[in-house]
Amino acid sequence: MLYSEKIKEAPTLAEYFKTVREEGFEKGKMEEKRNIAAELLREGFSVEKVAKIVKLSLDEVKEIGKNS
């Protein structure tokens, strides 16, 4: 492969920053879901209800409950 072909395939700096920003946004959304799930569990909601409300799996909510 020619060097010029490799450059065309490499992501631009703007594309890289966009990807990093999107990954950070998704990580933040997941962290917020987990925080809400923990609060609902502390308030006495069932694992099943919390999973449905915050749209996490039952296993994820159970794990959050163990760590809260």
Side-chain angles (χ1 to χ4, degrees):
M1 179 179 288
L2 298 173
Y3 179 72
S4 61
E5 291 173 339
K6 287 182 181 180
I7 290 175
K8 289 179 185 176
E9 291 179 3
T12 65
L13 193 56
E15 291 170 333
Y16 173 75
F17 284 135
K18 180 181 178 191
T19 301
V20 169
R21 183 179 63 239
E22 288 171 354
E23 289 172 359
F25 182 72
E26 289 302 317
K27 184 178 177 183
K29 281 179 27 181
M30 182 57 77
E31 185 176 332
E32 183 64 18
K33 280 184 173 189
R34 294 178 64 80
N35 289 339
I36 292 169
E39 183 63 30
L40 291 171
L41 290 169
R42 283 191 293 273
E43 292 293 323
F45 284 78
S46 70
V47 170
E48 293 80 11
K49 184 66 104 175
V50 172
K52 183 177 180 181
I53 291 169
V54 297
K55 303 200 180 1
L56 291 173
S57 72
L58 287 173
D59 289 337
E60 287 175 296
V61 175
K62 288 176 186 176
E63 186 65 30
I64 293 166
K66 288 179 188 176
N67 295 327
S68 294

